[in-house]
Amino acid sequence: MTTTPNLRETEHDLAERFESFQAMALKLDMTRGKPCKEQLDLSRGLLEAITSDDYKALDGTDTRNYGGLEGIQEARQLFAEVFGCKADEVIIGGNASLQLMFDTLIRAHVFGVPGGERPWGQESKVKWLCPAPGYDRHFAITEHLGYELIIVPMTGSGPDMDKVEALAMDPAVKGLWVIPKYNNPTGESVSAECVTRLAAMKTGAPDFRIMWDDAYAVHHLGDVGDPVDNILDACQSAGHPNRVIMFASTSKISHAGAGISALAASSANIAWTKKHLSKQTIGPDKVNQLRHARYFKNLNGIENHMKGHAAIMKPKFDAVLQVLEEELGETGLATWTHPNGGYFISLDTPPGHAKNVVKMANDAGVKLTEAGATFPYGKDPDDRNIRLAPSFPSQLEIELAIRVVATCVKLSWARRG
Ligand SMILES: Cc1ncc(COP(=O)(O)O)c(C=O)c1O
C-alpha cells in the first residue's frame, strides 16, 4: 500500500455514489461462509445413497443400530485419504468439526491430555496462540475456556514461526490454532518449513497441542491445490507424535451442518479421545456416514465432486477480485488476498478504517462480517481487516456488494484520512 493514496473521485462524488447505493435499498449479506443453493444441490444424490434394504456397512454392521464409537470403517478410510493417514488414526464425529474441536479442548481442560501433568483447567494460567487474521469461532472456544489469547501474525505462508517458537517456550502456552490450507480469512496455506518447524519446535509445556483445522483440505478453486505437508508424519518423525490433532468435515463438501466430521491423531490421542467419548455417546450417526462413504467412495470421488464446487465458486471469487481491482487498484488504499481456494477473501483497509467501512456498508444495505471478528476478542489492533465471503450471494449481488464496499473504503478515507 502506498502512503499517499491516489483518489480519482472527490469526497462529493463518493458521497453521491454512496447515497445512490442507499437509495437502492439493497439487502445483501456477505457475512458468513455458507455454501449457496447450487453448491448444496451438487450432493443431491447423497440422500438416495442408501436404499431401504441396503443399510449395512462393509463389515456387516447395521448402521441403524447403536454402537461403533469410532465410526464405520469405510468412513474412516475416506477421511484417512483426506488427512493422509491410516484409517485407525481417524475417529468420525457428528455433523460439525467445531464440535470435535470444542470437545477435544473440553477434555483437555477437564481431564488433561496424554503427556500432561494435570488437566489444563487446574493450571493457574493457560495461554493459547491465535494466528490472526483467523477464524472467530476458534478464538471463541479458547476464550470461552478462559484462556489468554495471544495474537501471532500471519505471513502469507502460515503463522510467523519465529514468534510461535518464541512464545511456545512459555510453559503456560498449551497450544495453537492452525488452518493449514486456505486460511479463513486470508486464504494462505502453510509452507513446508512451517510444518517442519511446528513439528520440531521446543515447547515449554510437555502437553502442547496443535489444533490443525483442515476445513478447506479439498476446496481448491483451480485444478491444482496448494500443497501442504503431512503434519502427523512430521510430528511423528520429530519425536512429538501426540502434538497434533487434525480436524475436517464435509460441511462444505456435501451439506453444511448435515455432513460428517472427523479427527485424526496418534494412537495415544485416539485412545484418549475414545476413552472420554465412550462416556459421552453410545455411538455416532452411522447412517449418515454410510451415505457419505457410498456417495463419495474415495478421495478421488471427493476431488471430482469438488470440481463442481470450484465451477460455482471461482467466478464469484473472480468477480470480487475484478471489482476490487477496478475500484481500488490504483488508489493504494487497500490490499487484498488472491487465494487458490477456501471460502474467503481478506481485505485490508488503511489502519483505523475497517469498523467504519463495515458500518457504512451496512448503512447501504451490505452486511459484512463484523470488523475485528478475525482477531482474538473481536479486536483488530489496527482496525483494518475485513473478511469477504463470496459463496452465498449471486454473482450480480457480489459485484454490487463489492462496489459498495470499495466506495465505503474510499469515502471513509476521503472523510477521515
Ligand atoms: C476454518 C473453519 N473450521 C471449521 C468451520 C466449521 O466447520 P463445521 O461445519 O465442520 O463445524 C468453518 C466454517 O466456516 C471454518 O471456516
Side-chain angles (χ1 to χ4, degrees), residues 86-165:
K86 299 199 246 8
D88 61 8
E89 292 169 325
V90 174
I91 293 176
I92 305 295
N95 70 326
S97 61
L98 264 182
Q99 189 175 34
L100 288 179
M101 295 178 231
F102 185 94
D103 285 348
T104 297
L105 288 174
I106 289 285
R107 286 175 200 129
H109 193 82
V110 176
F111 303 108
V113 298
E117 283 152 8
R118 62 187 75 81
W120 293 357
Q122 286 173 20
E123 300 283 356
S124 54
K125 174 140 206 127
V126 175
K127 300 181 191 170
W128 198 268
L129 306 185
C130 297
Y135 182 35
D136 53 352
R137 290 183 187 272
H138 284 166
F139 304 153
I141 296 174
T142 32
E143 183 183 356
H144 194 54
L145 288 167
Y147 301 169
E148 182 185 324
L149 311 185
I150 302 173
I151 294 178
V152 174
M154 297 296 285
T155 62
S157 52
D160 181 331
M161 280 309 301
D162 290 345
K163 294 238 160 59
V164 170
E165 284 166 349

Side-chain angles (χ1 to χ4, degrees), residues 21-22 66 75 123 220 225 247 299 347 372 388:
F21 285 133
Q22 279 188 311
Y66 275 140
E123 300 283 356
H220 324 302
F247 302 89
L299 180 59
L347 173 71
L388 303 173

Side-chain angles (χ1 to χ4, degrees), residues 81-84 138 154 156-159 177-191 194-195 211-221 223-231 246-248 299 303 339-344:
E81 289 181 35
V82 172
F83 288 124
H138 284 166
M154 297 296 285
S157 52
W177 292 110
V178 180
I179 305 168
K181 207 182 280 189
Y182 313 130
N183 178 50
N184 172 357
T186 61
E188 70 202 76
S189 301
V190 298
S191 64
C194 182
V195 171
M211 297 286 283
W212 189 260
D213 180 1
D214 216 352
Y216 301 107
V218 290
H219 303 61
H220 324 302
L221 290 172
D223 289 340
V224 190
D226 286 0
V228 172
D229 281 0
N230 188 317
I231 185 107
M246 305 159 95
F247 302 89
L299 180 59
E303 282 171 346
N340 294 327
Y343 261 64
F344 305 99

